[in-house]
């Protein structure tokens, strides 16, 4: 990237961040809501990963990393399809003979809908990282509380040109499973901790009561109830002309404890809460706020992300 390109990028970032990033190679446009990325953004992702590890280190969590694929049996048990049928993605594969293959190939060549030539596999694309966590404790009675630091790629079928709203993205989640009191305390604590972390990145922050994008008319009732009961909050920052949630704090009550048969020490279904950080959204917000030249970011931000690094 030349100095002229960097200068132009810095001037144009607030108005049209995604287009500018694509124009200058920080993002590679592959489809609506789907991008590749360059070395600069990968450096930001690495810094965020390190900094977030420091945020949860005092809880001594179990650190786990998951693939972007979830067993279909887990997905079906999670009740995700009851609330979000418009967001999930299932994995299909060809499983036919030579005759079926010929029909598949002809449909592809003709530009026809060839989905009927494939069959559902035993896997779906993971809609959230924590869905891989709860089954690990299924069928057990916990003798205390459990904390998991989980990361992985996720998929949600909501393609958009809005900055940061991607169909495939990296999510970092800190999950707490245990008694109602412990899960509730975790939820309340991370209201402040999540927003404080984002402020330390030099970003303008708002914390807002929120709801999940439940499906249909009944889903609106569920969303209203979730908001009224204060079970979800989002940390919102500006990315260009849009306000985007870069982190969310969620209290599930006994939902996952009940469906995965996780019991707390008293034998009742365990409660859970989690806080999730979207790495791509945080990275885009950082570039929008501080520009594309990482060496020129505020000292406090660079120290938080890359303490000890002297060259770029």
């Amino acid at each position: 990237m030349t100095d002229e390109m960097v200068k132009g990028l810095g001037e144009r970032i607030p108005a049209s961040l995604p287009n500018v990033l694509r124009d200058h190679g920080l993002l590679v446009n592959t489809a609506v809501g789907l991008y590749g990325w360059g070395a600069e953004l990968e450096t930001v992702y690495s810094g965020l990963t390190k900094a977030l590890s420091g945020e949860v280190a005092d809880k001594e969590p179990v650190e786990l990393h998951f693939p972007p694929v979830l067993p279909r049996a887990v997905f079906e048990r999670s009740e995700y399809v009851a609330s979000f049928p418009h967001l999930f993605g299932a994995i299909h594969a060809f499983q036919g003979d030579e005759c079926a293959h010929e029909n598949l190939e002809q449909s592809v060549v003709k530009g026809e809908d060839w989905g009927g030539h494939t069959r559902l596999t035993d896997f779906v694309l993971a809609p959230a990282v924590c869905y891989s966590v709860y089954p690990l404790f299924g069928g057990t009675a916990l003798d205390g509380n459990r904390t998991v630091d989980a990361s992985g790629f996720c998929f949600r079928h909501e393609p958009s040109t809005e900055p940061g709203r991607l169909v495939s993205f990296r999510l970092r989640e800190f999950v707490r499973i245990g008694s109602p009191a412990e899960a509730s305390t975790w939820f309340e604590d991370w209201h402040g901790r999540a927003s404080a972390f984002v402020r330390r990145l030099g970003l303008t922050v708002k914390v807002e009561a929120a709801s999940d994008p439940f499906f249909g008319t009944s889903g609106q009732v569920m969303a209203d109830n979730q908001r009224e009961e204060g079970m979800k909050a989002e940390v919102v920052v500006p990315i260009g002309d849009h306000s985007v949630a870069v982190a969310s704090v969620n209290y599930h009550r006994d939902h996952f404890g009940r469906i995965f048969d996780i019991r707390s020490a008293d034998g009742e279904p365990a409660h859970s809460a989690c806080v999730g950080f979207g790495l791509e959204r945080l990275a885009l917000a950082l570039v929008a706020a501080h520009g594309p030249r990482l060496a020129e970011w505020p000292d406090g931000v660079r120290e938080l992300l890359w303490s000890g690094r002297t060259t770029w």
Side-chain angles (χ1 to χ4, degrees):
M1 183 179 295
T2 66
D3 290 341
E4 289 76 14
M5 291 166 65
V6 169
K7 182 176 184 295
L9 180 58
E11 292 170 351
R12 295 164 58 196
I13 274 177
S16 55
L17 175 65
N19 289 336
V20 173
L21 294 180
R22 288 194 296 267
D23 291 345
H24 295 278
L26 294 179
L27 289 179
V28 179
N29 191 22
T30 58
V32 175
L34 189 64
Y35 305 98
W37 56 92
E40 293 91 343
L41 283 184
E42 185 60 34
T43 299
V44 177
Y45 298 148
S46 298
L48 287 168
T49 296
K50 178 193 72 68
L52 285 167
S53 293
E55 289 297 302
V56 76
D58 63 310
K59 303 298 183 181
E60 299 182 343
V62 174
E63 181 179 332
L64 296 173
H65 304 268
F66 294 98
V69 177
L70 189 69
R72 180 159 60 95
V74 171
F75 171 77
E76 291 171 349
R77 191 173 181 182
S78 73
E79 300 181 357
Y80 189 91
V81 74
S83 299
F84 313 109
H86 53 311
L87 297 182
F88 81 90
I91 298 176
H92 291 70
F94 175 72
Q95 302 177 47
D97 56 18
E98 291 188 5
C99 180
H101 171 235
E102 182 178 348
N103 293 331
L104 168 63
E105 186 177 15
Q106 289 177 358
S107 293
V108 172
V109 171
K110 293 177 181 178
E112 299 173 348
D113 182 352
W114 47 266
H117 298 289
T118 65
R119 295 177 59 187
L120 186 64
T121 68
D122 290 332
F123 304 98
V124 299
L125 298 172
V129 175
C130 62
Y131 280 71
S132 294
V133 172
Y134 305 115
L136 302 178
F137 301 96
T140 63
L142 305 178
D143 56 2
N145 301 292
R146 297 290 185 273
T147 304
V148 179
D149 175 358
S151 62
F153 275 92
C154 301
F155 171 89
R156 293 177 193 167
H157 188 248
E158 48 180 354
S160 171
T161 57
E162 178 184 329
R165 188 169 293 282
L166 308 178
V167 296
S168 180
F169 52 92
R170 274 182 278 195
L171 198 60
R172 183 75 174 272
E173 294 195 55
F174 304 147
V175 183
R176 188 73 161 173
I177 306 172
S179 68
E182 184 61 31
S184 178
T185 298
W186 181 267
F187 175 69
E188 295 297 337
D189 184 42
W190 276 101
H191 271 78
R193 294 186 65 170
S195 59
F197 173 78
V198 177
R199 286 192 181 92
R200 289 171 63 198
L201 296 172
L203 301 176
T204 301
V205 171
K206 292 190 297 182
V207 179
E208 300 179 348
S211 62
D212 290 310
F214 296 101
F215 183 75
T217 304
S218 61
Q220 185 59 55
V221 175
M222 296 172 66
D224 292 342
N225 289 340
Q226 186 183 37
R227 190 184 297 271
E228 290 173 3
E229 293 176 8
M231 296 174 62
K232 183 180 183 72
E234 292 179 338
V235 180
V236 177
V237 305
I239 299 181
D241 298 329
H242 295 263
S243 294
V244 177
V246 296
S248 68
V249 191
N250 308 273
Y251 181 30
H252 317 121
R253 293 183 176 164
D254 67 351
H255 175 76
F256 292 109
R258 173 178 52 80
I259 61 180
F260 288 109
D261 187 27
I262 310 170
R263 285 159 283 128
S264 57
D266 61 3
E268 295 297 316
H271 282 222
S272 64
C274 71
V275 55
F277 296 86
L279 296 192
E280 285 85 356
R281 290 186 178 187
L282 282 169
L284 293 180
L286 282 163
V287 174
H290 305 314
R293 303 188 68 168
L294 308 189
E296 296 179 359
W297 284 12
D299 290 344
V301 176
R302 288 189 290 111
E303 179 63 23
L304 176 62
L305 298 180
W306 309 292
S307 56
R309 180 165 179 169
T310 58
T311 59
W312 301 89

